[in-house]
Amino acid sequence: MTELNNAPVNEQENNFTKLAKINVNGHTEKKGRFTYLSWTFAVSEAMKVDPLTNWVFREPTIFSDGTMMVHCDVTMFGKSIYMFLPVMNNSNKAIVKPNAFDINSAMMRCLVKGIAAHGLGLYIYAGEDLPEEEKQSIPAQSQNQNTASSAQATKTQKPKRTQAQLYNDALAAIKEAPNTEILNAAMKRFKGTTYEAGITNACRARADMMGWKPNPTTTKNVVQQNNQMHS
C-alpha cells in the first residue's frame, strides 16, 4: 500500500510528532469502559511546549431531544484546531437535559480532545496502549521466564482489544485526523488484514475532504482492493 504524500516537513509537524511520542498513561483515569486524560495534565503539558496555547469554547448546540454538543477551538504553535463532543455519561451515551456538572465535564474533555489533535495523548483515541515510539523500545520478554510468572502476568494484563475494536477506533481517528501522519499509520497497521480496504477507503475520503494529495498509485491500490472484494 502506498503512503500519502505529506507537504514538506515544517515546524508544526515536528511539534506534533514530539507531542505524539509522550506517554500519558500515568495521567489517565478509567471511567466505565473508557479512558480519559486529565485535563490539568493536558493543559500543563500544552503550556510547557507552547506558552501561547489558548482555547475558546463556542456556544453549545442544543438538539431537539434535549441532548447537547459542546465545541472548542484549541490553538497551539499558531495553528487552531476545532473539536466538538456530545455531553455524555461514562457509557458514552448522550445525556438528555444535562446539568451544569455534565456540561463542564464535556467541555474539559473536549478541550483535551482538541489538545490531543495537536499530538498529546492522541494514541488513546486510536485504542492504543502506548505511543508507537515507546512500544518499539520495550524489550521482548525473556524466553526462560518461569511458568508461574507468566501465569501471573496474564492475570494482571489488561484485556487485549480485538482487531474489530481497533479497526473501529482507527476509523474514528481517521475521520478527525488533523494531518496525513495518522492516515499513514492506520494504513500501515492494517496492511494485509481483512480491514485494509476499509481503512484505505476511509483514508482516501479524509484526504479528499482535507485536500491532501495522495500518491498516484494510491488510487490504483484502492480500486484493486475493491475489485478483489467484489470478484
Side-chain angles (χ1 to χ4, degrees):
M1 185 181 299
T2 306
E3 292 188 350
L4 298 172
N5 283 330
N6 278 319
V9 177
N10 55 37
E11 185 177 352
Q12 288 183 345
E13 290 173 331
N14 288 335
N15 288 325
F16 175 89
T17 301
K18 292 176 183 177
L19 287 174
K21 291 179 181 179
I22 298 176
N23 183 349
V24 302
N25 288 0
H27 304 276
T28 60
E29 181 180 0
K30 195 79 172 179
K31 291 187 177 180
R33 297 184 294 110
F34 303 98
T35 301
Y36 297 96
L37 177 61
S38 164
W39 73 265
T40 54
F41 172 78
V43 168
S44 175
E45 291 301 303
M47 297 299 290
K48 287 178 184 177
V49 296
D50 181 10
L52 297 180
T53 295
N54 65 84
W55 54 91
V56 176
F57 292 104
R58 303 186 186 184
E59 190 71 21
T61 302
I62 302 176
F63 299 100
S64 58
D65 61 355
T67 58
M68 182 181 294
M69 183 84 72
V70 296
H71 313 265
C72 185
D73 297 272
V74 178
T75 302
M76 295 181 67
F77 312 111
K79 179 180 180 180
S80 181
I81 295 181
Y82 161 70
M83 277 296 168
F84 55 91
L85 189 73
V87 179
M88 301 178 291
N89 57 25
N90 292 335
S91 298
N92 266 22
K93 301 294 184 181
I95 300 175
V96 177
K97 295 183 179 180
N99 58 35
F101 180 83
D102 298 326
I103 298 171
N104 177 72
S105 296
M107 291 174 69
M108 292 300 99
R109 290 173 182 174
C110 189
L111 169 59
V112 173
K113 188 177 179 182
I115 294 175
H118 287 280
L120 182 66
L122 186 61
Y123 66 89
I124 293 177
Y125 295 88
E128 297 288 350
D129 293 325
L130 292 172
E132 188 65 30
E133 186 81 6
E134 189 160 331
K135 285 194 294 183
Q136 295 175 359
S137 67
I138 298 178
Q141 188 177 22
S142 175
Q143 294 184 356
N144 61 0
Q145 186 178 23
N146 60 63
T147 305
S149 298
S150 298
Q152 182 63 27
T154 301
K155 289 181 181 179
T156 58
Q157 187 177 15
K158 187 170 67 174
K160 187 176 181 180
R161 295 177 66 79
T162 66
Q163 190 77 345
Q165 289 174 321
L166 293 176
Y167 171 68
N168 289 329
D169 290 338
L171 289 180
I174 290 169
K175 186 177 180 181
E176 298 180 0
N179 56 46
T180 58
E181 289 186 14
I182 295 176
L183 308 190
N184 291 331
M187 290 192 294
K188 181 178 179 181
R189 180 181 181 84
F190 289 92
K191 182 178 181 181
T193 70
T194 56
Y195 300 103
E196 181 177 2
I199 289 293
T200 302
N201 287 330
C203 288
R204 285 286 300 163
R206 181 60 175 172
D208 290 342
M209 179 184 297
M210 301 300 292
W212 299 328
K213 293 184 178 180
N215 284 337
T217 54
T218 303
T219 303
K220 180 179 178 182
N221 289 339
V222 175
V223 173
Q224 289 177 342
Q225 291 165 5
N226 288 337
N227 289 339
Q228 292 173 359
M229 292 175 62
H230 295 89
S231 60

